[in-house]
Amino acid sequence: MGVADVIIAGVIVAGACYILYATLWKKKGCCGCEGGSCCKK
């Protein structure tokens, strides 16, 4: 693997981690509705 391949792989992994954070951890496991019945505390 060349340097360009490593950089591309790093960008893909970083993007995947950001999407995972934005969809799961930022909402603390909530399904996405705000104040609805699916967000039980």
Side-chain angles (χ1 to χ4, degrees):
M1 285 180 28
V3 176
D5 293 333
V6 172
I7 292 172
I8 291 170
V11 169
I12 291 172
V13 169
C17 289
Y18 173 75
I19 291 171
L20 186 65
Y21 166 77
T23 57
L24 294 178
W25 293 313
K26 191 174 182 181
K27 294 179 183 178
K28 295 185 175 84
C30 179
C31 65
C33 58
E34 296 181 15
S37 61
C38 64
C39 300
K40 297 177 183 175
K41 292 183 180 179

